[in-house]
Amino acid sequence: MKQMIILKSAVIGLLLTLACTRMSAQQIRSTYFIDGNQTRLQLNPAAIPNQGFINVPVIGGVSTTMASNTFGMGDISDIIANRSDADYFMNDKFIRKLNMNNKFNASVNTDFVSAGWFSGEGFWNANVSLKVDLGVSVPRNIFEFMRDTRGMNLESWFDYSSEIHGEKLDINSYMETGVGYARPINNRLTLGGKVKMLFGIGNVRMRIDKLGIKTKLTGIDPHKDWREITRQEIENAQGVASIETDASIEASMKGFGLVESNRGYVNKIKRNGSLGIAGMGMGIDLGATYKITNQFTVSGAVLDLGFISWSKDNSHRASSNASREYSFNIHDYADAIEFSERLADGKVLDVAMLNIIKRKEKKARTTSLYTSLVLGGEYKLLDDKLTLGLLSTTRFAQPNTIAELTLGTAYKLTPMISFSLSYSMIQSRGAGLGLGVQLGPVVIATDYLYFGNNTRCLNAMVGMSIPLGTRRK
C-alpha cells in the first residue's frame, strides 16, 4: 500500500495538525514589563493596569504560539506539503531530524469579551474566553520500525525485537467565564485573584504504554520490503512472531462516540450529534506583587488551579492489553499472511490505536487544568521610564511541562506609547528574541521573532481595547 495507515492514525494526524497550527501553552511574556499594561493580568491577577478597559470583542485579545523541540518552520512546511506521502516520513532527511522523543504542545486563547475597571482602591476584571490546549509526544522508534518493515532493516528477522512506548496525546478545550479582583493592601503589597466557571467542550487522553513486536523467522531477507512480499516467500518462512499492546483512550465530548466493529473492537470515532457542553468545572488564579524598594518589585502567581468534571453520558473509555502470536508453518498460512499484512500496511501500529481496543463501561471523569507558576522581578530606572526584569513561567501541561525563563526590558516613551524587548532562553534553543509595542489602546507582541526556516518557536498576540475611566499612576 502506497500510503501507510500510520499516517492516517489519530496521533500522526494530530501531529500534523499541530505542526500546522503550532501554539505554545503560555501567555505572551514580552509585554509583562510594560508598566500599566492590561495584558499583565493574564500572568498575574494582582498586576493592576493604570486604566480601566473594554476589549474589542474577539480581536481584543488573541494569542497563538508555535513551539517544537524537533521541527523548524521549514520542516513544518515540508510536513504539510507531504502529509499524504508515507515515503517522506521514512526518508533519511526526516529521520535525522527526529529526537528520541518528539514533543509538541499547543494552546490558543481568545477573549470574546473582557473588561476591567476601578472601584475605589480596588480593580475588577471579567472575561469570557475560549481556551484550547493540545499536546503530543511521539517517539522516534515508531518511524524507525516503519523503516524496518520497508527493507531498511539492519537486524535479521530471526531475532528481531522492537518496543515502542511513550506515545501520548492530550486535547483539552473549554469556555471560561471569570471575575477577578485586585487591591493594594498597603504601599508595598498588592494581592489579586480570579474565580472562574468552566464549561467543558472536549477532552481526549490517549496513551500507548507499550507496543512490542518480536520475530524469530527464517527465510525472510532482512532487507525485504514487507509491502512487496510474495505468497511464495511467506510459504518459505518458518518460525513465530508476536505483537503485544498496552494502550488506552479516554474521551469526553458531546456529539461524538466510539463505534465498534462486528468483532466487538472499536474501529473509529464518529460524530453522532451536535457539539455542546460536556462538562462543568471551576478554577482560580492567585497573585501578588511586592515592592521591596520604590524601584524594585517582585511578583508571583499561580494560575489555573482547578478542574473540569465530564458527564458520564458524554464520556467514553476504551483500552487494549493484549498479546497475539503468529505461527509461520507449511500447514497453515493464515497467521503468516495476517502478520505480513499488518507489517505491509502499518496495521500493526493501528493495533495500539483503535483496531483491537475494546470499549469499556461509560464513566464520569474529572480532569485538572494545566496549572502555571509565574515568578518575576523588575527594576525601574530613569524616573520609571525604563524597566529591567526577569520572568520565570512554568506550565504543568500534559503530556509535556513547559518552562521558560525570560529577560525583559521596556521603555515608556509617553503615557500612551511603550516598547519592550525580551529574550526567552529555553524553548527557542537560543533564538528567543521578542518585541512588544503599545500604541494607546493597541498592543502587538511576540516572544519569538522569525529567524528563518530553522525557527522552532513562533507566537503573536494582538490586543485592542477601549479605555475606560481616568488613567491612574
Side-chain angles (χ1 to χ4, degrees):
M1 182 183 293
K2 177 64 177 175
Q3 298 176 352
M4 294 184 176
I5 288 182
I6 182 176
L7 297 179
K8 302 176 184 177
S9 67
V11 169
I12 301 303
L14 280 164
L15 186 156
L16 298 178
T17 300
L18 295 179
C20 301
T21 60
R22 199 79 220 129
M23 297 166 283
S24 168
Q26 297 189 43
Q27 296 86 353
I28 298 291
R29 298 174 299 276
S30 60
T31 58
Y32 188 76
F33 299 112
I34 294 181
D35 188 36
N37 189 284
Q38 68 192 52
T39 61
R40 290 162 53 94
L41 285 168
Q42 296 182 4
L43 287 167
N44 191 326
I48 299 176
N50 56 20
Q51 190 173 19
F53 63 91
I54 299 176
N55 273 346
V56 176
V58 182
I59 64 172
V62 180
S63 61
T64 62
T65 307
M66 177 197 123
S68 167
N69 74 329
T70 303
F71 299 112
M73 287 300 296
D75 302 315
I76 292 172
S77 178
D78 290 342
I79 289 173
I80 296 171
N82 296 279
R83 61 185 178 272
S84 61
D85 182 5
D87 291 336
Y88 172 81
F89 297 94
M90 300 298 106
N91 67 49
D92 290 339
K93 179 181 177 181
F94 179 83
I95 295 295
R96 282 196 299 267
K97 290 180 180 293
L98 296 173
N99 292 316
M100 292 302 296
N101 192 19
N102 303 279
K103 301 178 181 180
F104 300 82
N105 281 87
S107 74
V108 61
N109 185 2
T110 300
D111 284 343
F112 291 114
V113 179
S114 62
W117 63 94
F118 284 95
S119 178
E121 293 298 319
F123 185 83
W124 291 88
N125 68 91
N127 71 289
V128 178
S129 305
L130 171 66
K131 296 190 175 183
V132 182
D133 290 286
L134 305 98
V136 173
S137 180
V138 181
R140 173 191 174 104
N141 58 1
I142 196 171
F143 298 98
E144 292 176 337
F145 169 74
M146 297 307 297
R147 282 162 59 93
D148 292 344
T149 66
R150 300 188 64 166
M152 305 176 190
N153 189 12
L154 300 179
E155 301 180 46
S156 168
W157 291 106
F158 176 73
D159 191 20
Y160 179 85
S161 177
S162 176
E163 186 169 304
I164 300 166
H165 57 84
E167 192 165 352
K168 303 175 183 179
L169 165 69
D170 288 87
I171 305 173
N172 195 40
S173 176
Y174 59 95
M175 293 287 296
E176 170 189 297
T177 61
V179 177
Y181 181 74
R183 182 184 178 89
I185 304 304
N186 52 45
N187 291 334
R188 296 189 181 277
L189 177 65
T190 299
L191 298 180
K194 176 177 278 191
V195 178
K196 302 181 283 191
M197 286 291 297
L198 310 175
F199 303 88
I201 298 173
N203 179 274
V204 177
R205 183 181 188 272
M206 184 182 294
R207 295 290 186 271
I208 299 179
D209 295 320
K210 183 178 182 181
L211 175 56
I213 303 97
K214 294 183 179 180
T215 65
K216 288 200 175 287
L217 299 173
T218 59
I220 298 291
D221 185 347
H223 300 296
K224 184 64 182 178
D225 187 336
W226 284 77
R227 298 173 304 166
E228 301 173 356
I229 197 167
T230 65
R231 178 64 177 263
Q232 183 63 47
E233 289 173 315
I234 293 176
E235 294 176 355
N236 291 336
Q238 297 293 313
V240 295
S242 65
I243 299 174
E244 185 177 0
T245 65
D246 185 1
S248 64
I249 179 172
E250 295 178 305
S252 299
M253 183 178 294
K254 187 175 182 179
F256 285 81
L258 303 179
V259 180
E260 293 181 342
S261 67
N262 294 333
R263 299 175 61 189
Y265 298 128
V266 175
N267 60 3
K268 62 181 176 179
I269 300 174
K270 183 179 180 181
R271 182 171 179 175
N272 56 17
S274 59
L275 290 174
I277 303 303
M280 297 284 291
M282 292 189 66
I284 60 171
D285 298 341
L286 299 172
T289 66
Y290 186 80
K291 294 177 71 68
I292 296 177
T293 69
N294 288 336
Q295 286 74 41
F296 184 42
T297 302
V298 294
S299 60
V302 178
L303 310 176
D304 292 325
L305 278 171
F307 66 93
I308 298 177
S309 292
W310 305 91
S311 68
K312 176 181 177 180
D313 291 340
N314 295 312
S315 296
H316 310 273
R317 300 186 303 148
S319 65
S320 171
N321 193 331
S323 181
R324 173 79 161 89
E325 186 169 288
Y326 303 84
S327 176
F328 286 65
N329 61 71
I330 60 176
H331 304 293
D332 187 357
Y333 302 119
D335 275 6
I337 292 173
E338 181 181 342
F339 181 79
S340 64
E341 287 178 348
R342 289 197 180 278
L343 265 64
D345 59 16
K347 285 181 181 177
V348 66
L349 295 172
D350 249 4
V351 165
M353 309 302 288
L354 296 174
N355 278 357
I356 67 169
I357 286 184
K358 303 203 72 172
R359 186 198 300 268
K360 300 175 69 175
E361 181 183 357
K362 282 191 172 186
K363 182 179 179 181
R365 50 195 292 264
T366 299
T367 59
S368 299
L369 299 184
Y370 298 160
T371 302
S372 296
L373 176 64
V374 181
L375 300 173
E378 56 189 281
Y379 192 84
K380 294 185 180 298
L381 300 166
L382 304 178
D383 294 328
D384 294 346
K385 289 186 176 182
L386 177 65
T387 302
L388 305 177
L390 179 66
L391 187 67
S392 169
T393 57
T394 304
R395 194 161 193 261
F396 301 96
Q398 291 291 335
N400 312 308
T401 295
I402 303 172
E404 188 61 278
L405 188 63
T406 302
L407 290 169
T409 181
Y411 185 77
K412 182 165 58 177
L413 188 62
T414 72
M416 299 289 290
I417 301 175
S418 298
F419 303 91
S420 67
L421 180 67
S422 66
Y423 176 69
S424 299
M425 57 190 72
I426 298 178
Q427 297 294 323
S428 64
R429 302 299 191 273
L433 188 63
L435 293 172
V437 179
Q438 179 179 356
L439 300 174
V442 178
V443 178
I444 302 173
T446 177
D447 294 328
Y448 306 102
L449 289 171
Y450 180 71
F451 288 108
N453 287 340
N454 292 326
T455 303
R456 294 185 179 183
C457 299
L458 282 179
N459 71 2
M461 184 272 290
V462 177
M464 185 178 298
S465 63
I466 300 171
L468 185 65
T470 59
R471 182 178 296 272
R472 300 193 183 189
K473 184 175 180 181

